[in-house]
């Protein structure tokens, strides 16, 4: 929400928590409150309308395997916090590094602290086999960015296939017909689903899939650089590249510049994740924003509803395409 209001997260917290001993200009306060209403925080939030019932004045446990590697976990926790702040619900966070013994200790301590529900999050979207300690919890459990094979718990994940489709379709809509993609590591579900969305968008537009235009990276800038070099060396290079994360897009930018080409005049580029770096590249990067904040809010809503035992449909939340300056209409090469 700080991005939407054009200010720091600290300023957002000051405004939303009605801190009176810190001076905030009326214009900035209004901008933050308008962004909050637009994004569904506070009084406009569906969580607020549903009510948190017995969670009010209590606490919720958040168990995550990693906090420091990417911003996704922090964004999800922030979404959960915004969904519950008016109801005086405290979020307690435990990082376990995916170790079962750490998870068991975290569960015991969170329950001892009075947690009235637990959110279990994986930093990578995947199917998980969770420890038996979660089978007999006295409080509800919701899975965030992961799911189990038997779907016995409510679970929420990003709609990555639709995201890959949106990224590709945005380039097709600008007239591009030879569109490459740099995928992440193929064993990861996010990479598989984004590629599936890419292929679907091509098929819907009547464009043939060309495996020469699909290069596997590993999410790093270096792999984006090297993959772009391969694509530019083709006899018929692409006019646009969909990089499946923003770090690979950064490497892609460098390879295009090193080749003496310009973005987007000679080549359009789309990224994925809306990493902070996407706003500092020149030109600024068109990308997709992962929905971890609304996913965190959804998890809190499910805990408030006290889900019953049984099979639960995996809830998918759509990504948002953020148009910036790295794409334009197709350039026809002579």
């Amino acid at each position: 929400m700080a991005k939407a209001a054009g200010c720091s997260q600290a300023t957002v917290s000051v405004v939303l928590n009605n801190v009176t001993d810190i001076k905030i200009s009326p214009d900035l306060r209004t901008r933050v409150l308008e962004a909050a209403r637009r994004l569904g925080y506070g009084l406009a939030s569906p969580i607020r309308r549903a009510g948190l019932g017995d969670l009010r004045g209590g606490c919720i446990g958040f168990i995550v395997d990693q906090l420091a590697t990417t911003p996704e976990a922090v964004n999800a926790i922030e979404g959960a916090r915004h969904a519950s702040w008016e109801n005086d619900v405290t979020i307690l966070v435990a990082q376990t590094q995916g170790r079962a013994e750490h998870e068991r200790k975290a569960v015991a301590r969170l329950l001892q602290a009075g947690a009235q529900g637990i959110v279990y999050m994986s930093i990578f979207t995947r199917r998980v086999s969770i420890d038996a300690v979660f089978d007999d919890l006295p409080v509800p459990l919701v899975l965030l960015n992961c799911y189990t094979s038997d779907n016995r718990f409510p679970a929420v994940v990003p709609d990555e296939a639709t995201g890959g489709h949106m990224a590709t379709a945005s380039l097709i809509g600008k007239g591009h017909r030879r569109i490459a993609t740099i995928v992440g590591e193929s064993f990861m579900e996010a990479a598989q689903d984004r590629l599936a969305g890419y292929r679907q968008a091509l098929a819907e537009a009547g464009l043939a899939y060309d495996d020469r235009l699909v290069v596997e990276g590993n999410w790093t800038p270096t792999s984006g650089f090297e993959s772009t070099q391969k694509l530019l060396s083709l006899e018929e290079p692409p006019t646009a590249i969909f990089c499946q994360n923003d770090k690979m897009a950064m490497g892609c930018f460098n390879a295009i510049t090193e080749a003496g080409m310009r973005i987007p005049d000679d080549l359009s580029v789309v990224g994925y994740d809306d990493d902070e770096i996407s706003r500092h590249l020149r030109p600024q990067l068109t990308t997709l924003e992962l929905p971890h904040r609304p996913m965190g809010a959804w998890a809190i809503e499910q805990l408030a509803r006290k889900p019953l035992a049984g099979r639960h449909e995996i809830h998918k939340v759509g990504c948002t395409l953020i148009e910036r300056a790295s794409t334009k209409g197709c350039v026809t090469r002579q």
Side-chain angles (χ1 to χ4, degrees):
M1 194 178 75
K3 183 169 55 179
C7 64
S8 69
Q9 186 58 58
T11 299
V12 170
S13 296
V14 167
V15 174
L16 294 185
N17 288 293
N18 200 28
V19 177
T20 58
D21 56 350
I22 297 178
K23 298 297 182 182
I24 300 292
S25 73
D27 287 346
L28 180 54
R29 184 178 297 274
T30 298
R31 198 162 72 235
V32 170
L33 292 175
E34 287 179 351
R37 282 191 291 270
R38 190 167 62 250
L39 296 175
Y41 294 130
L43 292 174
S45 170
I47 309 303
R48 174 63 175 176
R49 290 196 298 271
L52 294 188
D54 294 341
L55 298 181
R56 182 184 294 275
C59 63
I60 290 169
F62 218 103
I63 295 177
V64 59
D65 49 8
Q66 289 288 341
L67 279 170
T69 54
T70 67
E72 279 76 26
V74 174
N75 288 339
I77 293 167
E78 184 66 5
R81 187 184 73 83
H82 276 297
S84 56
W85 69 278
E86 285 188 336
N87 290 273
D88 191 29
V89 175
T90 300
I91 307 292
L92 305 178
V93 182
Q95 177 179 265
T96 63
Q97 297 178 323
R99 298 179 182 176
E101 65 272 23
H102 291 178
E103 292 176 352
R104 290 191 288 269
K105 289 179 181 178
V107 167
R109 291 170 184 173
L110 289 170
L111 293 176
Q112 186 177 24
Q116 295 164 285
I118 292 178
V119 178
Y120 180 98
M121 178 178 181
S122 167
I123 201 63
F124 298 119
T125 306
R126 60 190 175 93
R127 184 175 62 191
V128 293
S129 298
I130 58 177
D131 189 82
V133 70
F134 294 100
D135 291 331
D136 299 313
L137 287 176
V139 298
L141 174 70
V142 173
L143 306 184
L144 198 160
N145 210 38
C146 57
Y147 58 94
T148 57
S149 58
D150 57 7
N151 295 328
R152 68 186 186 277
F153 303 108
V156 59
V157 299
D159 191 346
E160 301 281 20
T162 299
H165 182 282
M166 290 174 65
T168 310
S170 72
L171 294 167
I172 294 171
K174 294 181 183 298
H176 293 276
R177 294 297 178 266
R178 191 159 176 80
I179 301 168
T181 186
I182 302 174
V183 302
E185 293 161 298
S186 58
F187 71 89
M188 296 181 63
E189 288 190 19
Q192 296 167 16
D193 289 347
R194 292 173 194 180
L195 179 60
Y198 162 84
R199 297 189 68 155
Q200 181 184 5
L202 293 180
E204 289 176 357
L207 301 176
Y209 175 80
D210 184 346
D211 58 12
R212 293 171 298 178
L213 294 177
V214 179
V215 184
E216 184 171 333
N218 61 9
W219 310 114
T220 65
T222 298
S223 70
F225 181 88
E226 294 172 349
S227 296
T228 302
Q229 287 184 317
K230 293 178 183 177
L231 292 168
L232 294 180
S233 69
L234 293 173
E235 183 176 342
E236 188 181 355
T239 64
I241 301 177
F242 163 35
C243 299
Q244 293 192 10
N245 80 337
D246 293 343
K247 289 182 173 62
M248 292 194 297
M250 180 175 69
C252 175
F253 268 48
N254 291 339
I256 292 170
T257 300
E258 188 174 283
M261 303 173 72
R262 295 176 299 171
I263 303 167
D265 295 335
D266 299 313
L267 204 65
S268 289
V269 180
V270 173
Y272 206 108
D273 289 350
D274 194 32
D275 192 289
E276 179 70 20
I277 195 172
S278 66
R279 294 178 289 282
H280 295 285
L281 293 172
R282 291 297 180 269
Q284 290 189 336
L285 178 65
T286 293
T287 187
L288 281 100
E289 181 179 30
L290 282 166
H292 283 85
R293 284 185 177 86
M295 286 164 59
W298 184 90
I300 299 301
E301 180 182 12
Q302 297 309 300
L303 291 179
R305 292 178 175 176
K306 299 186 182 303
L308 300 175
R311 289 181 63 84
H312 296 268
E313 191 82 18
I314 298 173
H315 183 67
K316 294 187 177 183
V317 181
C319 301
T320 302
L321 178 69
I322 300 175
E323 294 267 10
R324 296 197 178 100
S326 65
T327 60
K328 66 179 295 186
C330 179
V331 175
T332 302
R333 293 194 173 98
Q334 301 298 322

